[in-house]
């Protein structure tokens, strides 16, 4: 069986509704017909895409990967149907910008719009850095503000140049009532007995790299909760039901404190990747500067550890 667009849309609707019954209603199918379609898709891919739980159906690790790719393909098809004429008939050149984290991409897009006259900027945000890399490799994006991790570093290719924007240590977020919350920094092994909430795999090395660091620290994190939702993670942390690994620029407050890990055992790298041939090339010196300014502006606004981040960046560069 060859996968078709209806199969990809089925996967997305199931994930969006969290229920086979609701998904069947949305798709205009009987539940047995939907279940049979899902089984055919899973047979084609070779593994289960969803698991049933108390809160309904949730994507497996492979399901998250297939879901992110399905959304990208459906987005591209919709773009083909609805917007192709804008790309070919527009008087101004278009720069297609992709972003994985708001701490760089949103501020970068705003600066590009303000400063690059005669150019139209279009920003597409994606959860998965891996998906952004695939899109720029396929020529769907001209430049991406993305991230990578130790052991999973991005490298320049014949078509794509990678530029480092910033190195950011991974911190930990805890409840204000947590006994460790009054520390200036926390030794990772002190969190060995905690319950964790983590974001799902982003296809680019997270949270795999963090698990490796925990193993080196002598423990395997007990991940009870996995969620792509920032709000649900914040609620779990604020309620002292879990701790989480986070960016150093993660917003504290409302019952949540953010603390560095002693020795910065793991960090993420902010990377700007661009196609060597395309509408962005002649502007890249400015775009790199815009990206750096966007990151440090965001860090200054939201991080309680701005001076430490600046010091870390100085040491790295």
């Amino acid at each position: 069986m060859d996968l078709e667009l209806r199969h990809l849309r089925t996967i997305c609707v199931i994930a969006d509704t969290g229920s086979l019954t609701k998904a069947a209603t949305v798709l205009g199918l009987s539940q047995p017909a939907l279940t049979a379609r899902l089984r055919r898709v899973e047979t084609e891919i070779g593994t289960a895409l969803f698991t049933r739980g108390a809160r309904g159906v949730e994507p497996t690790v492979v399901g998250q990967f297939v879901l992110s790719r399905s959304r990208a393909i459906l987005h591209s098809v919709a773009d083909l149907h609805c917007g192709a004429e804008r790309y070919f008939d527009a008087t101004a050149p278009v720069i297609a910008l992709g972003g994985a984290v708001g701490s760089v991409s949103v501020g970068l897009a705003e600066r590009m719009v303000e400063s690059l006259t005669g150019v139209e900027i279009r920003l597409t945000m994606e959860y998965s850095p891996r998906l952004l890399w695939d899109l720029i490799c396929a020529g769907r994006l001209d430049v991406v503000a993305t991230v990578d991790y130790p052991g999973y570093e991005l490298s320049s290719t014949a078509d794509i140049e990678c530029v480092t924007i910033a190195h950011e240590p991974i911190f930990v977020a805890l409840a204000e009532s947590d006994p460790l919350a009054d520390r200036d920094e926390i030794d990772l092994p002190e969190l060995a007995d905690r319950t964790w909430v983590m974001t799902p795999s982003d296809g680019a090395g997270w949270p795999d790299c963090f698990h490796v660091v925990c193993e080196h620290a002598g423990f395997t994190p007990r991940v009870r909760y996995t969620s792509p939702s920032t709000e649900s993670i914040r609620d779990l942390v604020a309620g002292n039901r879990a701790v989480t690994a986070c960016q150093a620029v993660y917003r504290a407050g409302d019952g949540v404190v953010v603390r560095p890990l002693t020795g910065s055992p793991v960090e993420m790298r902010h990377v700007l990747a661009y196609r060597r041939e395309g509408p962005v090339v002649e502007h890249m010196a400015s775009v790199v500067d815009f990206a750096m300014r966007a990151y440090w502006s965001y860090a200054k606004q939201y991080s309680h550890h701005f001076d430490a981040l600046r010091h870390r960046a100085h040491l790295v560069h």
Side-chain angles (χ1 to χ4, degrees), residues 19 22 34 53 98 102 113-114 124 136 143 162 170 176 181 185 187 190 200 202 221 224 234 264 278 280 283 307:
S19 162
K22 294 178 181 178
L34 174 61
V113 169
E114 292 171 0
T124 299
I136 193 172
V143 56
C162 295
I170 299 300
E176 287 182 348
E185 60 180 24
D187 292 331
E190 293 182 282
D202 65 3
R224 179 173 297 167
R234 181 174 290 276
S264 299
V280 75
H283 306 287
D307 291 339

Side-chain angles (χ1 to χ4, degrees), residues 201-214:
S201 172
D202 65 3
W206 182 266
D208 312 71
C209 66
F210 189 76
H211 284 280
V212 170
V213 170
C214 290

Side-chain angles (χ1 to χ4, degrees), residues 217-236:
F219 71 98
T220 299
R222 186 171 67 248
V223 181
R224 179 173 297 167
Y225 309 101
T226 300
S227 174
S229 167
T230 302
E231 291 305 315
S232 64
I233 291 175
R234 181 174 290 276
D235 289 343
L236 288 166

